[in-house]
Amino acid sequence: MPELPSSRERLLAAIDRQPVDRVPCAFMSFSALRGRVQDPYEAVLRELEMGLDGWLLIPSAWRNQRPNHPDLRGLPVRLPPSVRTDLWLERLPGEPFPVFHKEYHTPGGTLTTLVRKTDDWPHGNFVPFVDDYQIPRAIKPLVGGRRDLDALRSVLQPPTEEDVREFYREVERARTFRDEHGVMLAGGWGVGADMAGWLCGLENLMLMAMDEPETVDELLGIIAEWNEQRMRVVLEAGVDLYVRRGWYESSDFWSPNLYRRFILPRVKREAELAHSYGARFGYIMTTGLLPLMDSIVEAGVDVNLGLDPLQHGEAPLAAARAALGGKVCLWGGVNGAITVEEGTDEDVRQAVASALQAMQGVSGFILSPVDNVTEITLNAWRNVDTFVATWRELRNGG
C-alpha cells in the first residue's frame, strides 16, 4: 500500500488492525532517553529522528513530578484539604531497618501504614500515597479490610478544578504538537486492581479475594468510580488512545476465574467508555497474558501493550497471534530488560527478526521492547541502535 503520511496514521491503522505500509516501531516506554532530553516533547522528537513512530502520552509529567504516585502516570493524585497526615520514623524491636509510620486522618476514619526504610528506599524521608516500592516493604498496608473503605472514599476524590485547568493547558500544547509532527496522542493511565495492590499489598489482596470477596468487590468499585472521574477528563481532550495499566491484573496474580469475576467487568466498562468518546482502548499487560486472552477479547481491548516473548508459556508470540491476531493489536515482541539492555548484538538481531517473522502478515502489530529501556550503559545504547537498524532492514518483510 502507499506510504502512510505520519506515525499517527500508521499507529492508529495498526491499532485498528488495518493494513499498514510497514510494521510500526514505537517504544512503549524509553526511560533511558529521558536523561538526554529536557522534557517528554523533546523525547518524542528524538524518537522521530531515530525513525521510530513517535507517540505522546498526556499528562506528560515524569516520575519525579508525581511524588504521591510515582508509578501511576496521569492526573495528579492529591489529598483533599479535609485529610491530614502524620509521618514519623521509629525503630521497632526485631526490625533491621527504621520504620516509617504514616497516618491519613480523614472524615471517614484513619488509614495507617508502616513501611520499612530499607537501604534502597528511593523517596528519602517521604512515603508516597501509593507506589511499587511500598508493596514488599510494608509491614502494614494502608487498606486491610472493609473497616478502611470509608476512609479510602474520603481520600479518593475527583481531580481538582485547578488540576483540570492545568491539564487542559497542556492539551492545547499537545494538540499543536500532534498536528505539527504527526504523532499519536494518548492519555491515561487508567488503574484498577493495580491500585488495590498498592493499597492492600498484592499477597493480602489475593487472600482477601478468596476470604472476603465482597470487600474486594467494594474496594474495586470505589477505585473504578474514582478512576472513571479521572478518565472522563482525559477522554474529553480528544485523545487517540486511552491506556489502562494492568501489570498487577495478569494471571501472575489472578486466576482466569477471579479475573472474570473481579476485573473483566470493569475493563469492559472502561473500553466502552473510551469508545464512546471515539478513542481506542489500550491495556498494559506484559506477563501472565496468555491464560487471559479470551477475556482480553471479550473486554473490547483494542491494543495490548506488552507482548513479551520471554513470559511464561509455550511460544508466547505464536500463542498470542493465534488467539488475538486480527482481534487485538499486539504491541511488543522483544524483551527490553534482558535482551536489549543485557544481551549481545546478535541476541537483539535475532529477537527482532523472530518477532517480525512471528507476526508477519498479522493484522495489528507494533514492534517495541517490553516494557521499557531504562539502562544507559554503552551496551544498552548500542543494542537500541541494533534494534532500530534490524527493524528498518526487515520491517517490510525482508
Side-chain angles (χ1 to χ4, degrees), residues 5 7 27 42 63 79 87 111-112 114 126 142 159 167 171 200 210 212 236 288 311 326 344 361 365 380 396:
S7 289
F27 281 30
E42 185 184 352
R63 182 185 176 90
L79 302 179
L87 173 67
L111 296 173
T112 303
L114 278 72
F126 180 71
L142 270 178
F167 172 65
V171 167
C200 300
M210 301 299 295
E212 303 177 56
E236 286 169 3
Q311 66 179 298
T344 65
F365 175 61
N396 293 318

Side-chain angles (χ1 to χ4, degrees), residues 50-234:
M50 295 168 64
L52 301 175
D53 292 297
W55 65 296
L56 177 69
L57 188 139
I58 57 172
S60 63
W62 282 346
R63 182 185 176 90
N64 62 348
Q65 298 170 299
R66 307 187 300 265
N68 248 333
H69 52 107
D71 295 305
L72 177 59
R73 298 181 68 171
L75 293 163
V77 179
R78 300 193 191 279
L79 302 179
S82 60
V83 175
R84 178 177 59 84
T85 61
D86 289 326
L87 173 67
W88 66 91
L89 197 62
E90 60 183 345
R91 288 280 184 179
L92 296 180
E95 284 294 334
F97 300 103
V99 175
F100 287 114
H101 192 125
K102 190 167 188 178
E103 295 180 343
Y104 297 79
H105 302 280
T106 85
T110 299
L111 296 173
T112 303
T113 185
L114 278 72
V115 182
R116 295 180 179 93
K117 188 182 181 183
T118 57
D119 292 338
D120 59 352
W121 180 252
H123 305 302
N125 286 325
F126 180 71
V127 178
F129 177 56
V130 289
D131 89 311
D132 285 335
Y133 274 86
Q134 287 171 244
I135 295 176
R137 294 165 180 77
I139 300 170
K140 179 190 178 300
L142 270 178
V143 174
R146 173 64 189 82
R147 63 187 178 278
D148 294 320
L149 297 188
D150 287 341
L152 181 63
R153 285 190 181 91
S154 299
V155 175
L156 296 184
Q157 296 296 307
T160 66
E161 292 183 2
E162 176 54 34
D163 285 336
V164 174
R165 284 194 296 268
E166 181 63 30
F167 172 65
Y168 274 94
R169 282 192 283 269
E170 180 177 15
V171 167
E172 293 305 312
R173 179 187 181 188
R175 287 172 176 165
T176 300
F177 185 85
R178 174 198 62 192
D179 296 342
E180 181 177 353
H181 299 287
V183 299
M184 182 176 72
L185 183 59
W189 285 337
V191 68
D194 284 24
M195 185 75 169
W198 286 323
L199 292 167
C200 300
L202 290 166
E203 183 176 346
N204 295 335
L205 179 61
M206 297 302 99
L207 292 174
M208 286 172 60
M210 301 299 295
D211 298 335
E212 303 177 56
E214 295 82 6
T215 298
V216 173
D217 252 333
E218 187 173 355
L219 169 63
L220 292 174
I222 293 169
I223 295 169
E225 181 180 357
W226 171 76
N227 182 70
E228 183 170 322
Q229 294 167 330
R230 296 161 55 81
M231 186 177 179
R232 286 183 181 275
V233 172
V234 175

